Amino acid sequence: MSVSQAVYAQDLWAYSINGSVEIRPDSSSGWRQLSPSQALHLSDSLRFGPYSSLTVLDRSHDKVYAIHGADASSVADLVKGSSTRSKKTRANLVSYLWNSFRENNSVDNHRRAAGVVYRDNSIDNALAYSVATGKSDLPVEFVLIGESDGLPISGSVSIGQTAVVNVINHSQYDLFVNLLDKDATGYYSPCFPISNTQQMMQLFIPALSSVILSSFPVIVGEPRGKDNLILIASTEAFDVDNVAGCLNNNNYSTSEEPLGTYTVELFVQ
């Protein structure tokens, strides 16, 4: 089946949104904010605010699409454009995501479902190796943006200062990302712990895009001194807690999967 044929047999739903995404239904001339868990029709039009992205669940084909855009475009065109980068997901995860729309799942089920897409620990060990050695196969970077003034943050930061992360994905891949903090004592900890499936999908960044993770503010804390914030990126989902644990325990290995890292050095005062 060709992409053009497949795209017209979708059962599509907006799963998670970073920033602002508006929809204009085929039957309406007005724009309104798109909501998570909203059904999408191929004839609908979408337009994206600056640094915004959308994760779409294709329930019929067990796929997830990471989408961004500038000018208003139809859902059909947006999905068609991202089809070659779509992530094949497991049927039980798609079923779980669908049920989560209906609030049928407990917190424990959220955690279990988040683990469904973790292939194995090898990707976590390999990400730890990339961080420890500075090896990066993917062109990614990030900028810290102050929540109070919207300006980039670099150099010295103060305890209690808050910021959001602007992730820039220069690669041709849709990427799962997260942020590690290496504090002045050398200890690694995740900035965005994964506690449910919604967060995992919100950290899915489209290829060739710049996305602000506005739902995940970074708050500067102790200890004072030199601090490294490290963006980690992979074409496959990973467990950020395991990555931090591998680094703290010097447990590394390599992988053939393309991985990316990018570090910003700060001084906490």
Side-chain angles (χ1 to χ4, degrees), residues 150-163:
L151 298 176
I153 295 173
S154 62
S156 296
V157 292
S158 302
I159 299 292
Q161 190 170 354
T162 60

Side-chain angles (χ1 to χ4, degrees), residues 4 22 28 64 69 86 105 109 144 150 158 161 213 243:
S4 60
E22 293 181 310
S28 169
V64 175
S86 65
N105 299 303
N109 284 339
L144 282 178
S158 302
Q161 190 170 354
L213 302 177
V243 177

Side-chain angles (χ1 to χ4, degrees), residues 18-267:
N18 279 310
S20 173
V21 182
E22 293 181 310
I23 184 171
R24 184 175 62 193
D26 180 48
S27 59
S28 169
S29 59
W31 291 94
R32 61 173 182 264
Q33 287 294 320
L34 180 68
S35 301
S37 78
Q38 186 170 339
L40 298 173
H41 301 96
L42 294 171
S43 56
D44 295 341
S45 293
L46 298 178
R47 65 181 182 187
F48 293 73
Y51 309 107
S52 299
S53 67
L54 168 67
T55 300
V56 173
L57 173 64
D58 176 356
R59 193 171 169 231
S60 298
H61 297 91
D62 298 339
K63 291 183 178 181
V64 175
Y65 305 100
I67 297 173
H68 72 108
D71 299 329
S73 301
S74 70
V75 170
D77 287 341
L78 289 166
V79 171
K80 189 185 302 182
S82 66
S83 292
T84 56
R85 308 190 314 268
S86 65
K87 300 300 293 185
K88 184 72 175 178
T89 56
R90 298 183 186 182
N92 55 346
L93 176 60
V94 172
S95 175
Y96 174 85
L97 297 179
W98 168 244
N99 286 331
S100 71
F101 290 156
R102 303 181 179 184
E103 300 180 352
N104 290 338
N105 299 303
S106 68
V107 172
D108 286 340
N109 284 339
H110 270 295
R111 293 193 177 116
R112 285 197 292 272
V116 166
V117 298
Y118 298 152
R119 189 179 52 186
D120 53 44
N121 288 339
S122 65
I123 197 73
D124 307 329
N125 294 343
L127 276 167
Y129 176 84
S130 293
V131 172
T133 62
K135 180 180 181 294
S136 182
D137 308 311
L138 297 169
V140 293
E141 60 179 310
F142 75 95
V143 179
L144 282 178
I145 307 293
E147 276 200 313
S148 60
D149 56 17
L151 298 176
I153 295 173
S154 62
S156 296
V157 292
S158 302
I159 299 292
Q161 190 170 354
T162 60
V164 292
V165 177
N166 179 17
V167 176
I168 303 100
N169 179 5
H170 298 287
S171 81
Q172 301 286 338
Y173 300 96
D174 297 331
L175 299 175
F176 290 98
V177 304
N178 211 304
L179 207 64
L180 290 172
D181 177 66
K182 181 183 180 183
D183 65 26
T185 70
Y187 185 78
Y188 291 89
S189 57
C191 290
F192 311 137
I194 299 301
S195 59
N196 60 52
T197 313
Q198 177 78 6
Q199 290 180 346
M200 180 183 64
M201 293 306 175
Q202 284 182 327
L203 297 170
F204 191 35
I205 308 298
L208 301 173
S209 70
S210 179
V211 176
I212 291 181
L213 302 177
S214 55
S215 299
F216 300 92
V218 174
I219 304 175
V220 179
E222 299 279 359
R224 301 174 190 272
K226 181 180 175 181
D227 190 280
N228 285 332
L229 287 179
I230 307 163
L231 178 73
I232 54 177
S234 170
T235 57
E236 300 290 337
F238 55 86
D239 187 329
V240 68
D241 293 303
N242 281 349
V243 177
C246 291
L247 285 161
N248 290 324
N249 294 306
N250 297 315
N251 181 17
Y252 315 138
S253 63
T254 59
S255 169
E256 295 183 359
E257 297 291 339
L259 305 172
T261 66
Y262 183 82
T263 300
V264 169
E265 186 174 305
L266 301 170
F267 188 85

